[in-house]
Amino acid sequence: MAARRRIDPARGADALRQWTAARRSGQDPGRAVTATAVRFTLEELAARAPGRSVEVRVPPFGVTQAVAGTTHRRGTPPSVVETDAATWLELATGTSEWSEALASGRLQASGERCDLSAHLPLL
């Protein structure tokens, strides 16, 4: 089953471009732009790596389940990835590396299949 989209892909890509441009110029992209960009990239991950074995959390903006394998239905998932919005968007756009974010503590990942580096960057 294909991932369900809530963010229009054109709107999501535009928010991601706005977020990237604001960050490059040292400006705050704003909460609404950040939220849309995070949700769009989480949906993109779920579409490119369908499954429910890894839960990816980017509080307070969104969460998704992705990557084929053991299906998670209730309780604490066997694999969890959690990070802040800026780190997630840097990983999604390729301006940050998975291993660097993990080593610096900006990213927490636990369980089988939690290494998403093969699926990143998304764009």
Side-chain angles (χ1 to χ4, degrees):
M1 182 166 101
R4 191 174 103 211
R5 294 264 186 184
R6 292 183 180 185
I7 304 293
D8 173 64
R11 188 172 143 239
D14 184 52
L16 190 57
R17 279 190 293 276
Q18 289 178 42
W19 183 88
T20 302
R23 295 284 292 199
R24 283 186 182 149
S25 65
Q27 298 176 354
D28 179 6
R31 186 174 174 85
V33 168
T34 301
T36 301
V38 166
R39 292 174 183 138
F40 167 68
T41 53
L42 287 172
E43 289 177 359
E44 191 65 24
L45 173 66
R48 292 178 183 219
R52 295 178 58 187
S53 69
V54 179
E55 186 166 285
V56 182
R57 301 172 181 168
V58 184
F61 299 113
V63 63
T64 195
Q65 291 181 350
V67 184
T70 305
T71 300
H72 166 68
R73 296 188 198 288
R74 298 183 61 149
T76 302
S79 296
V80 175
V81 172
E82 187 165 344
T83 190
D84 61 279
T87 301
W88 171 250
L89 292 172
E90 289 169 3
L91 291 166
T93 59
T95 57
S96 185
E97 294 291 324
W98 179 270
S99 58
E100 187 277 328
L102 192 60
S104 70
R106 295 183 303 137
L107 170 72
Q108 291 79 44
S110 64
E112 286 185 31
R113 298 179 186 88
C114 68
D115 184 348
L116 300 179
S117 59
H119 305 289
L120 299 168
L122 294 169
L123 307 168

